[in-house]
């Protein structure tokens, strides 16, 4: 019997942006935005034209914050002044 491979078990493993976004429940474009505004978001590793994250950083992020806890400023409705 073989156990399913969990990339978070290996300290040098890397996961794709799509896989990490699937775990956090965000789309890939939201991941790009969170890379810029969320200080806890894992730093990307660029290889060729693909984006990876270190599995250890992803595991720390998933354990430290509640996914979806940080709201993007573009998703928060703004109040317009009546001038």
């Amino acid at each position: 019997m073989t156990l399913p491979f969990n990339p978070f078990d290996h300290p040098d493993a890397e996961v794709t942006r799509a896989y990490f976004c699937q775990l956090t429940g965000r789309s890939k474009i939201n991941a790009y935005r969170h890379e810029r505004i969320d200080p806890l978001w894992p730093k990307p590793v660029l290889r060729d034209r693909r984006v990876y994250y270190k599995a250890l950083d992803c595991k720390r992020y998933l354990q430290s914050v509640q996914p979806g806890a940080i709201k993007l400023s573009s998703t928060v409705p703004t109040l317009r002044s009546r001038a």
Side-chain angles (χ1 to χ4, degrees), residues 24 26 34 38 40-41 61 64-72:
T24 60
R26 293 189 171 97
H34 273 276
D38 188 354
L40 298 175
W41 192 267
Y61 178 79
S64 67
V65 296
Q66 195 72 328
I70 299 173
K71 297 285 184 188
L72 291 174

Side-chain angles (χ1 to χ4, degrees), residues 11 13 17 22 31 33 39 41-42 61 75 78:
R17 176 184 272 169
Q22 182 181 11
R33 291 179 184 140
W41 192 267
Y61 178 79
T75 61
T78 58

Side-chain angles (χ1 to χ4, degrees), residues 1-6 9:
M1 182 172 113
T2 60
L3 298 174
F5 175 70
N6 184 0
D9 291 339

Side-chain angles (χ1 to χ4, degrees), residues 4-55:
F5 175 70
N6 184 0
F8 295 125
D9 291 339
H10 195 278
D12 294 331
E14 294 178 349
V15 295
T16 62
R17 176 184 272 169
Y19 180 72
F20 183 61
C21 291
Q22 182 181 11
L23 292 177
T24 60
R26 293 189 171 97
S27 66
K28 287 195 282 185
I29 191 67
N30 281 345
Y32 172 73
R33 291 179 184 140
H34 273 276
E35 286 171 7
R36 294 182 289 154
I37 65 170
D38 188 354
L40 298 175
W41 192 267
K43 300 297 178 215
V45 177
L46 302 175
R47 199 168 283 123
D48 293 331
R49 297 184 71 162
R50 297 186 183 257
V51 177
Y52 297 92
Y53 298 111
K54 291 285 186 182

